[in-house]
Coordinates of all heavy atoms in Angstrom, one line a residue:
Q185 N 193.9 56.3 -20.6 CA 192.7 56.8 -21.1 C 191.6 56.3 -20.1 O 191.8 55.4 -19.4 CB 192.3 56.5 -22.5 CG 192.2 55.0 -22.8 CD 193.6 54.3 -22.9 OE1 194.4 54.8 -23.6 NE2 193.8 53.2 -22.2
L186 N 190.4 56.9 -20.2 CA 189.3 56.4 -19.3 C 188.9 55.0 -19.8 O 189.0 54.8 -21.0 CB 188.1 57.4 -19.4 CG 188.3 58.8 -18.9 CD1 187.0 59.5 -18.8 CD2 189.1 58.8 -17.6
E187 N 188.6 54.2 -18.9 CA 188.3 52.8 -19.2 C 187.0 52.4 -18.6 O 186.9 51.8 -17.5 CB 189.5 51.9 -18.6 CG 190.8 52.0 -19.2 CD 190.9 51.4 -20.6 OE1 189.9 50.8 -21.1 OE2 192.0 51.6 -21.3
P188 N 185.9 52.7 -19.3 CA 184.6 52.4 -18.8 C 184.3 50.9 -18.5 O 183.6 50.6 -17.5 CB 183.6 53.0 -19.8 CG 184.4 53.6 -20.9 CD 185.8 53.5 -20.6
G189 N 184.9 50.1 -19.3 CA 184.7 48.6 -19.2 C 185.3 48.2 -17.9 O 184.8 47.4 -17.1
L190 N 186.6 48.6 -17.6 CA 187.3 48.3 -16.4 C 186.5 48.8 -15.2 O 186.3 48.1 -14.2 CB 188.7 48.9 -16.4 CG 189.5 48.7 -15.2 CD1 189.8 47.2 -14.9 CD2 190.9 49.4 -15.3
L191 N 186.0 50.1 -15.3 CA 185.3 50.6 -14.2 C 184.0 49.8 -13.9 O 183.7 49.5 -12.7 CB 184.9 52.1 -14.5 CG 184.1 52.8 -13.4 CD1 184.9 52.9 -12.1 CD2 183.7 54.2 -13.9
A192 N 183.4 49.4 -14.9 CA 182.1 48.6 -14.8 C 182.5 47.2 -14.1 O 181.7 46.8 -13.2 CB 181.5 48.3 -16.1
R193 N 183.6 46.6 -14.5 CA 183.9 45.3 -13.8 C 184.3 45.5 -12.4 O 183.9 44.7 -11.5 CB 185.1 44.7 -14.6 CG 184.7 44.0 -15.9 CD 185.8 43.2 -16.5 NE 186.9 43.9 -17.0 CZ 187.0 44.7 -18.1 NH1 185.9 44.8 -18.8 NH2 188.1 45.3 -18.4
L194 N 185.0 46.6 -12.1 CA 185.4 46.8 -10.7 C 184.2 47.2 -9.8 O 184.0 46.7 -8.7 CB 186.4 48.0 -10.6 CG 187.8 47.7 -11.2 CD1 188.7 48.9 -11.3 CD2 188.5 46.6 -10.4
T195 N 183.2 47.9 -10.4 CA 182.0 48.3 -9.7 C 181.2 47.1 -9.4 O 180.6 47.0 -8.3 CB 181.2 49.4 -10.5 OG1 182.1 50.4 -10.9 CG2 180.0 49.9 -9.8
L196 N 181.1 46.2 -10.3 CA 180.4 44.9 -10.1 C 181.0 44.1 -9.0 O 180.3 43.6 -8.1 CB 180.4 44.1 -11.4 CG 179.4 43.1 -11.6 CD1 178.0 43.8 -11.8 CD2 179.6 42.3 -12.9

Side-chain angles (χ1 to χ4, degrees):
Q185 57 283 311
L186 299 192
E187 293 286 356
L190 175 62
L191 179 61
R193 285 191 291 286
L194 292 172
T195 305
L196 202 65

